[in-house]
Amino acid sequence: GAGVSQSPSNKVTEKGKDVELRCDPISGHTALYWYRQSLGQGLEFLIYFQGNSAPDKSGLPSDRFSAERTGGSVSTLTIQRTQQEDSAVYLCASSLGSPYRYPSREQYFGPGTRLTVT
Amino acid sequence: GQNIDQPTEMTATEGAIVQINCTYQTSGFNGLFWYQQHAGEAPTFLSYNVLDGLEEKGRFSSFLSRSKGYSYLLLKELQMKDSASYLCAVREVWNNNAGNMLTFGGGTRLMVKP
């Protein structure tokens, strides 16, 4: 079946502009995560959605970052007034069921969106 | 919060065995994952350990010692295609966190040479 998809695959934007990144999780996966990966670095957790519950926003680096998940499926990560330090690959992942109930279930990652802020 | 440490880079020879270590500090351990990430691609799941001991999957094995806060990923019969980054990730339970988040280490970049 289809995996996690993300769009666009690449985005170049000017400093100060807003950007929207999209994630389509695997159908039926209730958990959705956003991560950021800077060049040569590990994954930095940004935000987590589980079903209809309030999202865990504890990883968002500033109030310029926000995310929504509509209808429990597609998610959009928005970065306002982009800065050069926002340049990174933004990865989305989904997993089946709540990781609280099913901690062994792995996350499936999308191919990422490479964001470059000039 | 937690600290996860793994070597930044390792080099090994095709056909050999390599062990990638990961140490962590956490107050509410609830599992450790290893992911493989080829350059420019998404991470893919390799293994999961929650109890002490060795889990074997073909050429890959993963070991966990909870008392030592230590895991390793063992790759046998190395192939050129194993050149990738290997990410250690720890799941921690804390308070009422229903999310039960994964925290990733910085990754170990493995280069396999002929």
Side-chain angles (χ1 to χ4, degrees), chain A residues 12-49:
Chain A
V12 180
T13 190
E14 292 179 354
K15 178 182 173 181
K17 300 283 189 184
D18 297 352
V19 295
E20 282 190 354
L21 312 180
R22 177 188 168 105
C23 171
D24 281 87
I26 293 173
S27 178
H29 281 194
T30 56
L32 186 147
Y33 310 79
W34 282 98
Y35 295 90
R36 178 168 70 175
Q37 187 173 34
S38 299
L39 187 63
Q41 302 297 311
L43 276 67
E44 174 189 1
F45 166 74
L46 296 177
I47 189 169
Y48 158 74
F49 295 89

PDB file of all heavy atoms in Angstrom, chain A residues 12-49:
ATOM      1  N   VAL A  12      12.319  26.287  -1.736  1.00  0.00           N
ATOM      2  CA  VAL A  12      13.255  27.379  -1.511  1.00  0.00           C
ATOM      3  C   VAL A  12      12.428  28.640  -1.306  1.00  0.00           C
ATOM      4  O   VAL A  12      11.554  28.952  -2.109  1.00  0.00           O
ATOM      5  CB  VAL A  12      14.219  27.563  -2.711  1.00  0.00           C
ATOM      6  CG1 VAL A  12      15.182  28.712  -2.431  1.00  0.00           C
ATOM      7  CG2 VAL A  12      14.987  26.282  -2.976  1.00  0.00           C
ATOM      8  N   THR A  13      12.702  29.337  -0.226  1.00  0.00           N
ATOM      9  CA  THR A  13      11.920  30.528   0.085  1.00  0.00           C
ATOM     10  C   THR A  13      12.839  31.631   0.593  1.00  0.00           C
ATOM     11  O   THR A  13      13.949  31.375   1.050  1.00  0.00           O
ATOM     12  CB  THR A  13      10.845  30.217   1.131  1.00  0.00           C
ATOM     13  OG1 THR A  13       9.952  31.321   1.248  1.00  0.00           O
ATOM     14  CG2 THR A  13      11.461  29.945   2.496  1.00  0.00           C
ATOM     15  N   GLU A  14      12.339  32.838   0.488  1.00  0.00           N
ATOM     16  CA  GLU A  14      13.112  33.975   0.986  1.00  0.00           C
ATOM     17  C   GLU A  14      12.850  34.192   2.460  1.00  0.00           C
ATOM     18  O   GLU A  14      11.728  33.973   2.950  1.00  0.00           O
ATOM     19  CB  GLU A  14      12.733  35.242   0.206  1.00  0.00           C
ATOM     20  CG  GLU A  14      13.161  35.229  -1.242  1.00  0.00           C
ATOM     21  CD  GLU A  14      12.745  36.503  -1.961  1.00  0.00           C
ATOM     22  OE1 GLU A  14      12.027  37.332  -1.363  1.00  0.00           O
ATOM     23  OE2 GLU A  14      13.138  36.673  -3.132  1.00  0.00           O
ATOM     24  N   LYS A  15      13.849  34.639   3.137  1.00  0.00           N
ATOM     25  CA  LYS A  15      13.716  34.968   4.560  1.00  0.00           C
ATOM     26  C   LYS A  15      12.528  35.905   4.766  1.00  0.00           C
ATOM     27  O   LYS A  15      12.337  36.864   4.013  1.00  0.00           O
ATOM     28  CB  LYS A  15      15.003  35.625   5.041  1.00  0.00           C
ATOM     29  CG  LYS A  15      14.991  36.070   6.485  1.00  0.00           C
ATOM     30  CD  LYS A  15      16.311  36.759   6.831  1.00  0.00           C
ATOM     31  CE  LYS A  15      16.240  37.363   8.216  1.00  0.00           C
ATOM     32  NZ  LYS A  15      17.500  38.068   8.569  1.00  0.00           N
ATOM     33  N   GLY A  16      11.710  35.579   5.767  1.00  0.00           N
ATOM     34  CA  GLY A  16      10.557  36.406   6.087  1.00  0.00           C
ATOM     35  C   GLY A  16       9.246  35.911   5.491  1.00  0.00           C
ATOM     36  O   GLY A  16       8.168  36.336   5.923  1.00  0.00           O
ATOM     37  N   LYS A  17       9.315  35.012   4.512  1.00  0.00           N
ATOM     38  CA  LYS A  17       8.106  34.469   3.895  1.00  0.00           C
ATOM     39  C   LYS A  17       7.551  33.329   4.752  1.00  0.00           C
ATOM     40  O   LYS A  17       8.261  32.714   5.541  1.00  0.00           O
ATOM     41  CB  LYS A  17       8.419  33.931   2.493  1.00  0.00           C
ATOM     42  CG  LYS A  17       8.961  34.974   1.542  1.00  0.00           C
ATOM     43  CD  LYS A  17       7.866  35.864   1.029  1.00  0.00           C
ATOM     44  CE  LYS A  17       8.399  36.745  -0.092  1.00  0.00           C
ATOM     45  NZ  LYS A  17       7.365  37.700  -0.570  1.00  0.00           N
ATOM     46  N   ASP A  18       6.265  33.050   4.551  1.00  0.00           N
ATOM     47  CA  ASP A  18       5.634  31.913   5.222  1.00  0.00           C
ATOM     48  C   ASP A  18       5.673  30.707   4.295  1.00  0.00           C
ATOM     49  O   ASP A  18       5.596  30.846   3.074  1.00  0.00           O
ATOM     50  CB  ASP A  18       4.172  32.221   5.544  1.00  0.00           C
ATOM     51  CG  ASP A  18       4.015  33.388   6.514  1.00  0.00           C
ATOM     52  OD1 ASP A  18       5.027  33.862   7.058  1.00  0.00           O
ATOM     53  OD2 ASP A  18       2.859  33.813   6.727  1.00  0.00           O
ATOM     54  N   VAL A  19       5.777  29.507   4.875  1.00  0.00           N
ATOM     55  CA  VAL A  19       5.738  28.277   4.080  1.00  0.00           C
ATOM     56  C   VAL A  19       4.789  27.278   4.719  1.00  0.00           C
ATOM     57  O   VAL A  19       4.595  27.283   5.943  1.00  0.00           O
ATOM     58  CB  VAL A  19       7.128  27.624   3.913  1.00  0.00           C
ATOM     59  CG1 VAL A  19       8.047  28.507   3.110  1.00  0.00           C
ATOM     60  CG2 VAL A  19       7.727  27.260   5.255  1.00  0.00           C
ATOM     61  N   GLU A  20       4.210  26.429   3.873  1.00  0.00           N
ATOM     62  CA  GLU A  20       3.350  25.338   4.344  1.00  0.00           C
ATOM     63  C   GLU A  20       3.885  24.027   3.788  1.00  0.00           C
ATOM     64  O   GLU A  20       4.115  23.905   2.586  1.00  0.00           O
ATOM     65  CB  GLU A  20       1.907  25.531   3.860  1.00  0.00           C
ATOM     66  CG  GLU A  20       1.131  26.547   4.651  1.00  0.00           C
ATOM     67  CD  GLU A  20      -0.353  26.530   4.291  1.00  0.00           C
ATOM     68  OE1 GLU A  20      -0.735  25.802   3.356  1.00  0.00           O
ATOM     69  OE2 GLU A  20      -1.105  27.251   4.955  1.00  0.00           O
ATOM     70  N   LEU A  21       4.034  23.064   4.669  1.00  0.00           N
ATOM     71  CA  LEU A  21       4.501  21.739   4.285  1.00  0.00           C
ATOM     72  C   LEU A  21       3.382  20.745   4.573  1.00  0.00           C
ATOM     73  O   LEU A  21       2.753  20.815   5.633  1.00  0.00           O
ATOM     74  CB  LEU A  21       5.752  21.367   5.085  1.00  0.00           C
ATOM     75  CG  LEU A  21       6.865  22.431   5.158  1.00  0.00           C
ATOM     76  CD1 LEU A  21       8.031  21.916   5.986  1.00  0.00           C
ATOM     77  CD2 LEU A  21       7.312  22.848   3.786  1.00  0.00           C
ATOM     78  N   ARG A  22       3.196  19.809   3.653  1.00  0.00           N
ATOM     79  CA  ARG A  22       2.058  18.903   3.774  1.00  0.00           C
ATOM     80  C   ARG A  22       2.520  17.470   4.000  1.00  0.00           C
ATOM     81  O   ARG A  22       3.549  17.049   3.459  1.00  0.00           O
ATOM     82  CB  ARG A  22       1.215  18.975   2.498  1.00  0.00           C
ATOM     83  CG  ARG A  22       0.027  18.029   2.446  1.00  0.00           C
ATOM     84  CD  ARG A  22      -0.635  18.037   1.087  1.00  0.00           C
ATOM     85  NE  ARG A  22      -1.578  16.954   0.933  1.00  0.00           N
ATOM     86  CZ  ARG A  22      -2.899  17.098   0.975  1.00  0.00           C
ATOM     87  NH1 ARG A  22      -3.435  18.307   1.153  1.00  0.00           N
ATOM     88  NH2 ARG A  22      -3.690  16.053   0.816  1.00  0.00           N
ATOM     89  N   CYS A  23       1.727  16.742   4.773  1.00  0.00           N
ATOM     90  CA  CYS A  23       1.997  15.329   5.034  1.00  0.00           C
ATOM     91  C   CYS A  23       0.711  14.519   4.898  1.00  0.00           C
ATOM     92  O   CYS A  23      -0.310  14.849   5.516  1.00  0.00           O
ATOM     93  CB  CYS A  23       2.572  15.141   6.435  1.00  0.00           C
ATOM     94  SG  CYS A  23       2.714  13.406   6.963  1.00  0.00           S
ATOM     95  N   ASP A  24       0.779  13.449   4.112  1.00  0.00           N
ATOM     96  CA  ASP A  24      -0.315  12.487   4.010  1.00  0.00           C
ATOM     97  C   ASP A  24       0.136  11.192   4.676  1.00  0.00           C
ATOM     98  O   ASP A  24       0.982  10.480   4.116  1.00  0.00           O
ATOM     99  CB  ASP A  24      -0.663  12.204   2.548  1.00  0.00           C
ATOM    100  CG  ASP A  24      -1.499  13.302   1.939  1.00  0.00           C
ATOM    101  OD1 ASP A  24      -0.925  14.271   1.442  1.00  0.00           O
ATOM    102  OD2 ASP A  24      -2.733  13.173   1.996  1.00  0.00           O
ATOM    103  N   PRO A  25      -0.399  10.852   5.832  1.00  0.00           N
ATOM    104  CA  PRO A  25       0.058   9.644   6.523  1.00  0.00           C
ATOM    105  C   PRO A  25      -0.502   8.392   5.858  1.00  0.00           C
ATOM    106  O   PRO A  25      -1.356   8.471   4.968  1.00  0.00           O
ATOM    107  CB  PRO A  25      -0.514   9.814   7.927  1.00  0.00           C
ATOM    108  CG  PRO A  25      -1.777  10.596   7.707  1.00  0.00           C
ATOM    109  CD  PRO A  25      -1.457  11.536   6.571  1.00  0.00           C
ATOM    110  N   ILE A  26      -0.034   7.256   6.303  1.00  0.00           N
ATOM    111  CA  ILE A  26      -0.584   5.981   5.845  1.00  0.00           C
ATOM    112  C   ILE A  26      -2.031   5.884   6.315  1.00  0.00           C
ATOM    113  O   ILE A  26      -2.334   6.204   7.473  1.00  0.00           O
ATOM    114  CB  ILE A  26       0.259   4.815   6.371  1.00  0.00           C
ATOM    115  CG1 ILE A  26       1.648   4.855   5.730  1.00  0.00           C
ATOM    116  CG2 ILE A  26      -0.425   3.485   6.099  1.00  0.00           C
ATOM    117  CD1 ILE A  26       2.626   3.842   6.306  1.00  0.00           C
ATOM    118  N   SER A  27      -2.897   5.455   5.426  1.00  0.00           N
ATOM    119  CA  SER A  27      -4.309   5.359   5.747  1.00  0.00           C
ATOM    120  C   SER A  27      -4.532   4.466   6.970  1.00  0.00           C
ATOM    121  O   SER A  27      -3.985   3.361   7.059  1.00  0.00           O
ATOM    122  CB  SER A  27      -5.066   4.773   4.553  1.00  0.00           C
ATOM    123  OG  SER A  27      -6.435   4.614   4.850  1.00  0.00           O
ATOM    124  N   GLY A  28      -5.289   4.986   7.935  1.00  0.00           N
ATOM    125  CA  GLY A  28      -5.590   4.209   9.136  1.00  0.00           C
ATOM    126  C   GLY A  28      -4.638   4.464  10.292  1.00  0.00           C
ATOM    127  O   GLY A  28      -4.907   4.046  11.423  1.00  0.00           O
ATOM    128  N   HIS A  29      -3.526   5.150  10.014  1.00  0.00           N
ATOM    129  CA  HIS A  29      -2.593   5.463  11.095  1.00  0.00           C
ATOM    130  C   HIS A  29      -3.123   6.666  11.879  1.00  0.00           C
ATOM    131  O   HIS A  29      -3.332   7.739  11.324  1.00  0.00           O
ATOM    132  CB  HIS A  29      -1.202   5.772  10.538  1.00  0.00           C
ATOM    133  CG  HIS A  29      -0.428   4.561  10.187  1.00  0.00           C
ATOM    134  ND1 HIS A  29       0.930   4.591   9.944  1.00  0.00           N
ATOM    135  CD2 HIS A  29      -0.796   3.265  10.053  1.00  0.00           C
ATOM    136  CE1 HIS A  29       1.353   3.367   9.686  1.00  0.00           C
ATOM    137  NE2 HIS A  29       0.326   2.548   9.736  1.00  0.00           N
ATOM    138  N   THR A  30      -3.300   6.463  13.186  1.00  0.00           N
ATOM    139  CA  THR A  30      -3.871   7.534  13.991  1.00  0.00           C
ATOM    140  C   THR A  30      -2.823   8.476  14.560  1.00  0.00           C
ATOM    141  O   THR A  30      -3.121   9.591  14.935  1.00  0.00           O
ATOM    142  CB  THR A  30      -4.683   6.952  15.157  1.00  0.00           C
ATOM    143  OG1 THR A  30      -3.836   6.080  15.924  1.00  0.00           O
ATOM    144  CG2 THR A  30      -5.871   6.152  14.630  1.00  0.00           C
ATOM    145  N   ALA A  31      -1.592   8.009  14.641  1.00  0.00           N
ATOM    146  CA  ALA A  31      -0.524   8.839  15.205  1.00  0.00           C
ATOM    147  C   ALA A  31       0.281   9.473  14.069  1.00  0.00           C
ATOM    148  O   ALA A  31       0.644   8.798  13.104  1.00  0.00           O
ATOM    149  CB  ALA A  31       0.398   8.002  16.087  1.00  0.00           C
ATOM    150  N   LEU A  32       0.558  10.763  14.203  1.00  0.00           N
ATOM    151  CA  LEU A  32       1.320  11.494  13.193  1.00  0.00           C
ATOM    152  C   LEU A  32       2.327  12.399  13.888  1.00  0.00           C
ATOM    153  O   LEU A  32       2.002  13.064  14.876  1.00  0.00           O
ATOM    154  CB  LEU A  32       0.379  12.323  12.308  1.00  0.00           C
ATOM    155  CG  LEU A  32       1.013  13.041  11.104  1.00  0.00           C
ATOM    156  CD1 LEU A  32       0.013  13.095   9.938  1.00  0.00           C
ATOM    157  CD2 LEU A  32       1.516  14.414  11.451  1.00  0.00           C
ATOM    158  N   TYR A  33       3.547  12.403  13.370  1.00  0.00           N
ATOM    159  CA  TYR A  33       4.645  13.148  13.993  1.00  0.00           C
ATOM    160  C   TYR A  33       5.324  14.033  12.939  1.00  0.00           C
ATOM    161  O   TYR A  33       5.438  13.647  11.778  1.00  0.00           O
ATOM    162  CB  TYR A  33       5.722  12.191  14.532  1.00  0.00           C
ATOM    163  CG  TYR A  33       5.222  11.077  15.395  1.00  0.00           C
ATOM    164  CD1 TYR A  33       4.645   9.938  14.835  1.00  0.00           C
ATOM    165  CD2 TYR A  33       5.342  11.141  16.778  1.00  0.00           C
ATOM    166  CE1 TYR A  33       4.196   8.896  15.629  1.00  0.00           C
ATOM    167  CE2 TYR A  33       4.905  10.100  17.580  1.00  0.00           C
ATOM    168  CZ  TYR A  33       4.333   8.983  16.998  1.00  0.00           C
ATOM    169  OH  TYR A  33       3.889   7.965  17.801  1.00  0.00           O
ATOM    170  N   TRP A  34       5.819  15.166  13.384  1.00  0.00           N
ATOM    171  CA  TRP A  34       6.705  15.994  12.572  1.00  0.00           C
ATOM    172  C   TRP A  34       8.061  16.081  13.270  1.00  0.00           C
ATOM    173  O   TRP A  34       8.136  16.278  14.490  1.00  0.00           O
ATOM    174  CB  TRP A  34       6.144  17.411  12.409  1.00  0.00           C
ATOM    175  CG  TRP A  34       5.039  17.548  11.413  1.00  0.00           C
ATOM    176  CD1 TRP A  34       3.692  17.575  11.663  1.00  0.00           C
ATOM    177  CD2 TRP A  34       5.169  17.717   9.996  1.00  0.00           C
ATOM    178  NE1 TRP A  34       2.995  17.738  10.504  1.00  0.00           N
ATOM    179  CE2 TRP A  34       3.866  17.832   9.465  1.00  0.00           C
ATOM    180  CE3 TRP A  34       6.260  17.783   9.121  1.00  0.00           C
ATOM    181  CZ2 TRP A  34       3.619  18.011   8.087  1.00  0.00           C
ATOM    182  CZ3 TRP A  34       6.011  17.954   7.773  1.00  0.00           C
ATOM    183  CH2 TRP A  34       4.717  18.073   7.262  1.00  0.00           C
ATOM    184  N   TYR A  35       9.115  15.933  12.457  1.00  0.00           N
ATOM    185  CA  TYR A  35      10.494  16.061  12.935  1.00  0.00           C
ATOM    186  C   TYR A  35      11.229  17.023  12.005  1.00  0.00           C
ATOM    187  O   TYR A  35      10.850  17.231  10.853  1.00  0.00           O
ATOM    188  CB  TYR A  35      11.227  14.718  12.896  1.00  0.00           C
ATOM    189  CG  TYR A  35      10.698  13.652  13.813  1.00  0.00           C
ATOM    190  CD1 TYR A  35       9.714  12.760  13.382  1.00  0.00           C
ATOM    191  CD2 TYR A  35      11.199  13.506  15.104  1.00  0.00           C
ATOM    192  CE1 TYR A  35       9.235  11.757  14.222  1.00  0.00           C
ATOM    193  CE2 TYR A  35      10.735  12.503  15.944  1.00  0.00           C
ATOM    194  CZ  TYR A  35       9.763  11.640  15.499  1.00  0.00           C
ATOM    195  OH  TYR A  35       9.299  10.654  16.332  1.00  0.00           O
ATOM    196  N   ARG A  36      12.333  17.536  12.524  1.00  0.00           N
ATOM    197  CA  ARG A  36      13.221  18.365  11.722  1.00  0.00           C
ATOM    198  C   ARG A  36      14.615  17.746  11.802  1.00  0.00           C
ATOM    199  O   ARG A  36      15.053  17.319  12.875  1.00  0.00           O
ATOM    200  CB  ARG A  36      13.236  19.796  12.278  1.00  0.00           C
ATOM    201  CG  ARG A  36      14.163  20.731  11.559  1.00  0.00           C
ATOM    202  CD  ARG A  36      13.915  22.161  11.962  1.00  0.00           C
ATOM    203  NE  ARG A  36      14.320  22.473  13.331  1.00  0.00           N
ATOM    204  CZ  ARG A  36      14.276  23.698  13.850  1.00  0.00           C
ATOM    205  NH1 ARG A  36      13.829  24.704  13.092  1.00  0.00           N
ATOM    206  NH2 ARG A  36      14.660  23.919  15.085  1.00  0.00           N
ATOM    207  N   GLN A  37      15.284  17.707  10.651  1.00  0.00           N
ATOM    208  CA  GLN A  37      16.629  17.137  10.610  1.00  0.00           C
ATOM    209  C   GLN A  37      17.542  18.114   9.878  1.00  0.00           C
ATOM    210  O   GLN A  37      17.403  18.318   8.675  1.00  0.00           O
ATOM    211  CB  GLN A  37      16.626  15.767   9.917  1.00  0.00           C
ATOM    212  CG  GLN A  37      17.966  15.053   9.985  1.00  0.00           C
ATOM    213  CD  GLN A  37      17.895  13.636   9.437  1.00  0.00           C
ATOM    214  OE1 GLN A  37      17.157  13.357   8.495  1.00  0.00           O
ATOM    215  NE2 GLN A  37      18.669  12.730  10.022  1.00  0.00           N
ATOM    216  N   SER A  38      18.480  18.689  10.628  1.00  0.00           N
ATOM    217  CA  SER A  38      19.462  19.563  10.017  1.00  0.00           C
ATOM    218  C   SER A  38      20.580  18.706   9.432  1.00  0.00           C
ATOM    219  O   SER A  38      20.750  17.543   9.800  1.00  0.00           O
ATOM    220  CB  SER A  38      20.009  20.542  11.056  1.00  0.00           C
ATOM    221  OG  SER A  38      18.956  21.343  11.562  1.00  0.00           O
ATOM    222  N   LEU A  39      21.373  19.280   8.548  1.00  0.00           N
ATOM    223  CA  LEU A  39      22.381  18.530   7.807  1.00  0.00           C
ATOM    224  C   LEU A  39      23.299  17.767   8.750  1.00  0.00           C
ATOM    225  O   LEU A  39      23.911  18.342   9.644  1.00  0.00           O
ATOM    226  CB  LEU A  39      23.195  19.493   6.939  1.00  0.00           C
ATOM    227  CG  LEU A  39      24.184  18.842   5.979  1.00  0.00           C
ATOM    228  CD1 LEU A  39      23.442  17.978   4.957  1.00  0.00           C
ATOM    229  CD2 LEU A  39      25.023  19.897   5.268  1.00  0.00           C
ATOM    230  N   GLY A  40      23.357  16.449   8.563  1.00  0.00           N
ATOM    231  CA  GLY A  40      24.250  15.619   9.351  1.00  0.00           C
ATOM    232  C   GLY A  40      23.849  15.424  10.796  1.00  0.00           C
ATOM    233  O   GLY A  40      24.620  14.870  11.581  1.00  0.00           O
ATOM    234  N   GLN A  41      22.639  15.838  11.135  1.00  0.00           N
ATOM    235  CA  GLN A  41      22.187  15.751  12.530  1.00  0.00           C
ATOM    236  C   GLN A  41      21.099  14.693  12.694  1.00  0.00           C
ATOM    237  O   GLN A  41      20.563  14.169  11.714  1.00  0.00           O
ATOM    238  CB  GLN A  41      21.656  17.120  12.993  1.00  0.00           C
ATOM    239  CG  GLN A  41      22.652  18.246  12.881  1.00  0.00           C
ATOM    240  CD  GLN A  41      23.849  18.025  13.763  1.00  0.00           C
ATOM    241  OE1 GLN A  41      23.714  17.719  14.959  1.00  0.00           O
ATOM    242  NE2 GLN A  41      25.044  18.157  13.198  1.00  0.00           N
ATOM    243  N   GLY A  42      20.768  14.421  13.955  1.00  0.00           N
ATOM    244  CA  GLY A  42      19.667  13.508  14.234  1.00  0.00           C
ATOM    245  C   GLY A  42      18.328  14.187  14.055  1.00  0.00           C
ATOM    246  O   GLY A  42      18.248  15.340  13.628  1.00  0.00           O
ATOM    247  N   LEU A  43      17.277  13.488  14.392  1.00  0.00           N
ATOM    248  CA  LEU A  43      15.921  14.004  14.241  1.00  0.00           C
ATOM    249  C   LEU A  43      15.506  14.763  15.489  1.00  0.00           C
ATOM    250  O   LEU A  43      15.657  14.283  16.603  1.00  0.00           O
ATOM    251  CB  LEU A  43      14.938  12.860  13.998  1.00  0.00           C
ATOM    252  CG  LEU A  43      14.782  12.366  12.572  1.00  0.00           C
ATOM    253  CD1 LEU A  43      16.047  11.706  12.082  1.00  0.00           C
ATOM    254  CD2 LEU A  43      13.608  11.407  12.463  1.00  0.00           C
ATOM    255  N   GLU A  44      14.939  15.941  15.261  1.00  0.00           N
ATOM    256  CA  GLU A  44      14.445  16.778  16.351  1.00  0.00           C
ATOM    257  C   GLU A  44      12.919  16.744  16.323  1.00  0.00           C
ATOM    258  O   GLU A  44      12.301  17.149  15.335  1.00  0.00           O
ATOM    259  CB  GLU A  44      14.951  18.209  16.170  1.00  0.00           C
ATOM    260  CG  GLU A  44      14.403  19.216  17.160  1.00  0.00           C
ATOM    261  CD  GLU A  44      14.765  20.650  16.784  1.00  0.00           C
ATOM    262  OE1 GLU A  44      15.418  20.858  15.742  1.00  0.00           O
ATOM    263  OE2 GLU A  44      14.375  21.560  17.523  1.00  0.00           O
ATOM    264  N   PHE A  45      12.301  16.264  17.381  1.00  0.00           N
ATOM    265  CA  PHE A  45      10.842  16.173  17.463  1.00  0.00           C
ATOM    266  C   PHE A  45      10.220  17.561  17.482  1.00  0.00           C
ATOM    267  O   PHE A  45      10.699  18.462  18.185  1.00  0.00           O
ATOM    268  CB  PHE A  45      10.449  15.414  18.727  1.00  0.00           C
ATOM    269  CG  PHE A  45       8.991  15.536  19.090  1.00  0.00           C
ATOM    270  CD1 PHE A  45       8.031  14.860  18.368  1.00  0.00           C
ATOM    271  CD2 PHE A  45       8.604  16.333  20.150  1.00  0.00           C
ATOM    272  CE1 PHE A  45       6.691  14.977  18.705  1.00  0.00           C
ATOM    273  CE2 PHE A  45       7.268  16.458  20.496  1.00  0.00           C
ATOM    274  CZ  PHE A  45       6.313  15.778  19.771  1.00  0.00           C
ATOM    275  N   LEU A  46       9.161  17.740  16.703  1.00  0.00           N
ATOM    276  CA  LEU A  46       8.462  19.025  16.663  1.00  0.00           C
ATOM    277  C   LEU A  46       7.070  18.935  17.288  1.00  0.00           C
ATOM    278  O   LEU A  46       6.750  19.667  18.219  1.00  0.00           O
ATOM    279  CB  LEU A  46       8.344  19.517  15.221  1.00  0.00           C
ATOM    280  CG  LEU A  46       9.655  19.835  14.490  1.00  0.00           C
ATOM    281  CD1 LEU A  46       9.369  20.239  13.046  1.00  0.00           C
ATOM    282  CD2 LEU A  46      10.435  20.915  15.216  1.00  0.00           C
ATOM    283  N   ILE A  47       6.222  18.035  16.760  1.00  0.00           N
ATOM    284  CA  ILE A  47       4.832  17.996  17.200  1.00  0.00           C
ATOM    285  C   ILE A  47       4.261  16.614  16.927  1.00  0.00           C
ATOM    286  O   ILE A  47       4.720  15.910  16.027  1.00  0.00           O
ATOM    287  CB  ILE A  47       3.996  19.093  16.496  1.00  0.00           C
ATOM    288  CG1 ILE A  47       2.588  19.212  17.113  1.00  0.00           C
ATOM    289  CG2 ILE A  47       3.924  18.846  14.997  1.00  0.00           C
ATOM    290  CD1 ILE A  47       1.823  20.442  16.636  1.00  0.00           C
ATOM    291  N   TYR A  48       3.254  16.233  17.728  1.00  0.00           N
ATOM    292  CA  TYR A  48       2.653  14.909  17.631  1.00  0.00           C
ATOM    293  C   TYR A  48       1.134  15.035  17.698  1.00  0.00           C
ATOM    294  O   TYR A  48       0.599  15.761  18.539  1.00  0.00           O
ATOM    295  CB  TYR A  48       3.176  14.047  18.778  1.00  0.00           C
ATOM    296  CG  TYR A  48       2.325  12.862  19.146  1.00  0.00           C
ATOM    297  CD1 TYR A  48       2.281  11.738  18.330  1.00  0.00           C
ATOM    298  CD2 TYR A  48       1.581  12.858  20.322  1.00  0.00           C
ATOM    299  CE1 TYR A  48       1.511  10.640  18.683  1.00  0.00           C
ATOM    300  CE2 TYR A  48       0.814  11.760  20.673  1.00  0.00           C
ATOM    301  CZ  TYR A  48       0.784  10.658  19.855  1.00  0.00           C
ATOM    302  OH  TYR A  48       0.024   9.576  20.201  1.00  0.00           O
ATOM    303  N   PHE A  49       0.450  14.307  16.819  1.00  0.00           N
ATOM    304  CA  PHE A  49      -1.005  14.227  16.812  1.00  0.00           C
ATOM    305  C   PHE A  49      -1.421  12.780  17.071  1.00  0.00           C
ATOM    306  O   PHE A  49      -0.835  11.854  16.514  1.00  0.00           O
ATOM    307  CB  PHE A  49      -1.578  14.633  15.446  1.00  0.00           C
ATOM    308  CG  PHE A  49      -1.338  16.071  15.073  1.00  0.00           C
ATOM    309  CD1 PHE A  49      -0.190  16.441  14.389  1.00  0.00           C
ATOM    310  CD2 PHE A  49      -2.270  17.051  15.384  1.00  0.00           C
ATOM    311  CE1 PHE A  49       0.029  17.760  14.029  1.00  0.00           C
ATOM    312  CE2 PHE A  49      -2.059  18.372  15.025  1.00  0.00           C
ATOM    313  CZ  PHE A  49      -0.893  18.735  14.346  1.00  0.00           C
TER     314      PHE A  49
END
